[in-house]
Structure formats: structure tokens, C-alpha cells
Amino acid sequence: MLFQYFITVVPTKLHTSGVSVNMHQFSVTERERLVSNKKGSHGVSGIFIKYNLSPLMVRVREEHMPLSVFLVRLYGIIGGIFSTSGLLHGLIGYFVDIICCCFRLGADQSKEVSHYYTLKNKGASKGS
């Protein structure tokens, strides 16, 4: 068997309100495969570890948002919700009115047609 481990190390600085720490983060990726000359898989069996030291540093800082910025963002979100719901309410009302008018027009047209035939039949019976 061939075991390979790839380790990446990233230097990190953490700054919070109470703590300032220098540390390292790492990630590990592993691979393994069967080494068999009979099956065409060549290589040396063993355990191999490969290190990758990152030249870049990650800085993590804790920053607090002022209350005024928070309130402006909150009011913006609430205003957006109200305007979007008003727009949706208007569109839905518009489509409901269109659908109701179509049914109402269909009913009115059928009444006119039946009224027309009624008047025509009454006129034909009077003339006979």
C-alpha cells in the first residue's frame, strides 16, 4: 500500500477584544492506493508526508458595528420588506381583478345572448 498525506500549514493571527494570539491552521488531505506490479500499478509502498507552508498570513480581527449603522441597515431591511409586500399585493390584486372581470364579462355576454334570443322569439311569436 502507498499512503500519501498532504499537509498545508497557514500562519494565522487572531485579534479579539480580549485575546491576541499567533497560531497556525492546517489542513490534511490523504490518498492511498494499492501498489501491485502485476496489475500495472507501479510505485514504492510506504507512508509519505508532504508539507506545504503557505507564504500568506490570515488575520482575523473582531470589529464592532456602531449602533447607528446597525439601525440604518435594520430600517432599510424593514422598508424593503414593506415596499416588496406592497408591490406583490398590488400585482396580485391586479391579476385577481382581471380574472374576475373575465368571468363577469363571460356571464354578462351569456345574459345578453339569452336576452337577444328571448326578444327575437317574442317578436317572432307576435308576428305569426
Side-chain angles (χ1 to χ4, degrees), residues 26-103:
F26 65 93
S27 64
V28 178
T29 306
E30 61 180 288
R31 282 183 34 195
E32 62 182 54
R33 68 180 174 100
L34 182 64
V35 177
S36 174
N37 291 331
K38 295 178 185 176
K39 295 182 180 179
S41 175
H42 301 287
V44 179
S45 60
I47 299 174
F48 298 95
I49 300 173
K50 297 181 182 181
Y51 288 99
N52 182 14
L53 300 175
S54 176
L56 301 175
M57 177 183 292
V58 175
R59 288 186 183 174
V60 180
R61 288 189 312 191
E62 178 183 24
E63 293 184 4
H64 295 282
M65 183 185 319
L67 182 62
S68 61
V69 173
F70 172 74
L71 291 176
V72 167
R73 288 182 181 181
L74 179 65
Y75 293 148
I77 291 170
I78 292 171
I81 290 171
F82 275 112
S83 64
T84 304
S85 63
L87 177 71
L88 288 175
H89 181 265
L91 284 173
I92 291 171
Y94 176 73
F95 287 121
V96 167
D97 287 343
I98 288 175
I99 292 171
C100 289
C101 287
C102 288
F103 286 128

Side-chain angles (χ1 to χ4, degrees), residues 2 4 6 11-12 36 38-39 59 61 88 90 93 103-105 114 116 119 127:
L2 170 68
Q4 292 179 322
F6 302 95
T12 305
S36 174
K38 295 178 185 176
K39 295 182 180 179
R59 288 186 183 174
R61 288 189 312 191
L88 288 175
F103 286 128
R104 197 175 323 136
L105 284 176
S114 65
Y116 173 74
L119 289 177

